[in-house]
Amino acid sequence: MGTSHIEFLVEERSMEAFLTPLLRRCLPGDCTFRIHEHQGKPALLRKLKNRLRGYASWLPSDHRIVVIVDMDQDQCDQLKSQLEQACSDAGLHSKQAAGGPQWQVVTRIAIEELEAWYFGDWQAVCRAFPKVSPTVSQRTHYRKPDAIQGGTWEALERVLKEAGHCKQGLPKVQTAAAMGHHMEPQDNCSPSFR
């Protein structure tokens, strides 16, 4: 039996804006989804156990849950452990814990944050922002999207401003939506995206 519906739990509006057009293009036509945004990572983490317990009380066998948070300044292994523990406490089987096809929840961490995924598909950035140089991703500082130092949204903002975009600052939600329309998952080299 395949997956007929996916519930996404995300920390903020920009992830929802990114996922909506991306999922519409990439999911099979018979698979529906719903995205629940929160007022930041602390709010999502605070509500996660109770929300997962709620799902555990009714989740059909062909539904899945995806939890996505930014790593930010957290330790990746500790954050992953916290997410996995929330699944276990709720009585749900995470993909990591199940080790097979009987999982209900997958937990994912964007390293360092959503904007790193944009650097992972630089051609999508060029399609969304045509004045941007196609060689930016070849610069030493940007070759490894998940290793960009000093904040990936700040780095993206600098690059876009240099190209004449986003003169008033990076509009995170609009940028996310544009990237969701242009990103090709199979072309993305960000390990945390993959």
Side-chain angles (χ1 to χ4, degrees), residues 14 18 112-122 124-126 128-129 132-133 136-137 139 141-142 145 148-167 169-179 183:
S14 59
F18 168 71
E112 157 192 346
E113 53 196 359
L114 172 61
E115 288 78 12
W117 293 356
Y118 307 162
F119 281 97
D121 184 356
W122 196 252
V125 175
C126 293
F129 300 96
V132 171
S133 170
V136 167
S137 63
R139 296 180 194 167
H141 188 67
Y142 302 126
I148 295 172
Q149 298 294 312
T152 51
W153 82 264
E154 294 91 343
L156 182 65
E157 181 179 59
R158 279 191 302 275
V159 170
L160 294 178
K161 279 185 173 184
E162 288 170 9
H165 296 282
C166 307
K167 294 178 182 177
L170 183 68
K172 290 183 80 167
V173 174
Q174 293 89 335
T175 300
M179 291 305 300
M183 188 175 288

Side-chain angles (χ1 to χ4, degrees), residues 61-152:
S61 62
D62 63 344
H63 283 42
R64 300 291 180 264
I65 302 165
V66 178
V67 180
I68 305 174
V69 296
D70 290 347
M71 185 177 80
D72 299 319
Q73 303 304 316
D74 291 329
Q75 294 295 317
C76 188
D77 57 344
Q78 291 174 0
L79 181 58
K80 182 70 168 180
S81 180
Q82 181 180 0
L83 297 173
E84 292 292 314
Q85 188 63 51
C87 295
S88 177
D89 290 349
L92 293 170
H93 302 287
S94 74
K95 187 171 185 176
Q96 179 176 318
Q102 298 305 317
W103 62 273
Q104 299 161 296
V105 183
V106 63
T107 60
R108 292 295 180 250
I109 300 171
I111 300 177
E112 157 192 346
E113 53 196 359
L114 172 61
E115 288 78 12
W117 293 356
Y118 307 162
F119 281 97
D121 184 356
W122 196 252
Q123 293 308 309
V125 175
C126 293
R127 288 188 295 274
F129 300 96
K131 294 189 274 184
V132 171
S133 170
T135 63
V136 167
S137 63
Q138 297 167 13
R139 296 180 194 167
T140 303
H141 188 67
Y142 302 126
R143 282 188 197 140
K144 296 181 179 178
D146 292 1
I148 295 172
Q149 298 294 312
T152 51

